[in-house]
Amino acid sequence: MTDGFDVVVVGSGPNGLAAAITAAQAGLTVQVIEAADTLGGGLRSAELTEPGFIHDVCSAIHPTLMGSPFLSSLPLNDHGLRMLHPGVAFAHPLDGGRAAIMQRSVEATGRSLGADAASYAALMNPLVKSADALLSQFLAPPRLPESPLAAARFGVNAVRSAQGVAGRFDGPAARALVAGLAAHAGLPLHRLATGGFALVLGFLAHSHGWPMAEGGSRNIAGALVSYLKSLGGSVITGWQVRDLAELPPHKAVLLDVGPRQLITLAGGRLSGGYLRQLQRFRYGPGTFKVDWALDGPVPWTDERLRQAGTIHLGGTLEEIAFSELQIWTGGVTERPYMIVAQQSLTDPSRAPEGKHTLWGYCHVPTGYDGDRTEAMENQIEQAAPGFKDLVLARHRMGPGRLQDYNGNYVGGDINGGVQDIWQLFTRPVVKVNPYSTPIPGVYLCSSSTPPGGGVHGMCGHFAARSALKQEFGLVP
């Protein structure tokens, strides 16, 4: 366009695309600029190991997409997206043949928790019934609740530590279930509000499921881009923006980048308290990720795990708490907490006939440059003897490679910054409008803004709503 665009979005992750779609839905002209040759940010898939084996490069399982008030409202099925639900949302094996098996039904899940079934139902049933109201509150910047009773019922437990929430259970399976969910946050499990992460991911499994995208997470990005183009939006790849001055003429710009990248892009236009707050923004632990091409399905000892889309490994609550605390003190353990996804069991298109893929990661200290492959494979082998014999090829990505792949993953932090109880409400700075910046017309829309990490698009959606109101006088 010779006259430029109403809105330019830098970065095509789920938040950047959500921001672009929100603006395009309002009738504005929009262009998305992506540095890489392919769109999607954390929503990319590729043949990382061998031809025919499709691996999700970053995000793999998508409960928050299904629960997102914005993304779930879009006609993505009409643009080629098909979400697949495994028979079991996730499973958490323990030594001795015990396991927590998370199914859509609260009662069915309770049957794997033994004597804790009734306590689990008492905790989870009210949250599942209020799931949409809670997600509308949780996946948003801080604001007064629309459903005060549901928010209060949730908040009483959500503010507690994961260890505190798990304390209501007596058996190891239920306690491990809470630990495995809470550890997604990448925080020590004694920290306040880690219980909230466990509760949200738990009730999402019951209310919306833990699905995967058929053909790879790249198809989520593909559907978002297709819908954006149907609204008149345009995209361009292979353009590494290094300064805001490079952008085409626009009235507003939305940046799907983190605080450090914002400082660079601003080119000296930021100063004072805002700049100092950005410089103090805290990033969390790194990530070490491995993708495997396998000669067959993982031979889990517990047959129920062969139906699960996601597996949490790491043992008991106490073992996971120790593993995650070590990360924050600069150490690692021989039995790391791991998140494993086995998409090809549900989606045969991910691998050649008879073959399978496996996706997994563990947390590592900031600046870690070692190799966790052996420890991770030992963890899997313990629950699935014979696993190592099935490995045809593997692909590793440590913190450095992850940051090179996506500049938002500073130090391998895939959550866009620490998500503790303080920074959840002050990301990226302490400000009434966390999306606006001191530069006129410039807004931040990455996972470093509320509500934080996850494939939900709500950071981009709310940032775009702010820009629509302040720059164009539009009230979404």
Side-chain angles (χ1 to χ4, degrees), residues 34-381:
E34 168 59 45
D37 293 331
T38 56
L39 297 162
L43 294 174
R44 295 192 180 107
S45 309
E47 295 179 331
L48 297 177
T49 55
E50 299 283 347
F53 290 84
I54 306 301
H55 304 276
D56 291 324
V57 182
C58 291
S59 183
I61 305 295
H62 305 288
T64 55
L65 184 152
M66 303 299 290
S68 167
F70 180 64
L71 294 186
S72 66
S73 73
L74 305 181
L76 299 183
N77 289 346
D78 297 338
H79 292 266
L81 179 63
R82 184 180 178 214
M83 300 300 291
L84 304 178
H85 290 265
V88 170
F90 72 84
H92 190 128
L94 295 166
D95 295 342
R98 298 163 298 177
I101 307 296
M102 176 65 84
Q103 303 190 57
R104 287 296 289 269
S105 163
V106 172
E107 289 67 32
T109 301
R111 286 195 286 273
S112 71
L113 305 180
D116 286 315
S119 294
Y120 180 79
L123 173 67
M124 202 59 68
N125 275 329
L127 303 180
V128 175
K129 291 176 182 177
S130 303
D132 288 336
L134 292 174
L135 290 168
S136 179
Q137 184 69 37
F138 185 81
L139 295 177
R143 60 183 181 179
L144 292 175
E146 297 176 5
S147 302
L149 183 59
R153 186 186 297 118
F154 170 71
V156 166
N157 284 303
V159 75
R160 302 179 69 191
S161 70
Q163 291 174 324
V165 172
R168 68 185 291 131
F169 302 119
D170 296 322
R175 290 163 63 83
L177 182 150
V178 172
L181 289 170
H184 278 251
L187 294 168
L189 300 192
H190 67 271
R191 295 271 190 93
L192 290 176
T194 50
F197 286 94
L199 295 177
V200 171
L201 289 173
F203 77 66
L204 270 169
H206 295 305
S207 63
H208 295 79
W210 278 30
M212 64 196 70
E214 184 178 41
S217 295
R218 61 186 178 186
N219 289 338
I220 301 173
L224 290 168
V225 171
S226 176
Y227 178 53
L228 173 63
K229 289 181 176 179
S230 76
L231 298 173
S234 65
V235 299
I236 185 169
T237 59
W239 181 354
Q240 176 70 62
V241 177
R242 302 187 185 281
D243 192 292
L244 295 177
E246 299 175 21
L247 298 176
H250 59 270
K251 297 176 183 176
V253 60
L254 290 147
L255 303 173
D256 187 4
V257 303
R260 291 190 185 180
Q261 296 94 312
L262 173 59
I263 294 171
T264 299
L265 290 172
R269 299 176 184 87
L270 297 173
S271 62
Y274 186 86
L275 175 61
R276 288 192 292 273
Q277 287 193 72
L278 290 183
Q279 293 169 332
R280 291 196 298 266
F281 187 81
R282 293 175 294 126
Y283 289 92
T287 303
F288 192 96
K289 176 177 177 283
V290 182
D291 289 283
W292 293 271
L294 303 178
D295 199 28
V298 179
W300 303 107
T301 300
D302 188 329
E303 293 281 346
R304 296 173 297 176
L305 272 64
R306 304 185 187 195
Q307 303 177 53
T310 302
I311 310 290
H312 292 157
L313 296 173
T316 64
L317 164 70
E318 292 74 18
E319 288 172 317
I320 294 174
F322 176 74
S323 174
E324 292 301 282
L325 182 59
Q326 287 295 105
I327 303 303
W328 282 79
T329 57
V332 295
T333 64
E334 287 305 308
R335 295 194 63 184
Y337 164 75
M338 287 179 60
I339 302 170
V340 175
Q342 41 188 13
Q343 298 96 316
S344 58
L345 291 178
T346 303
D347 179 8
S349 72
R350 303 290 188 106
E353 185 175 358
K355 312 299 181 183
H356 284 274
T357 63
L358 194 69
W359 173 106
Y361 76 84
C362 67
H363 297 129
V364 293
T366 300
Y368 182 81
D369 61 359
D371 189 340
R372 297 296 282 152
T373 305
E374 183 177 2
M376 293 170 69
E377 292 187 350
N378 288 342
Q379 276 287 63
I380 300 171
E381 183 78 16

Side-chain angles (χ1 to χ4, degrees), residues 10-25:
V10 177
S12 68
N15 285 309
L17 293 175
I21 289 170
T22 301
Q25 286 177 327

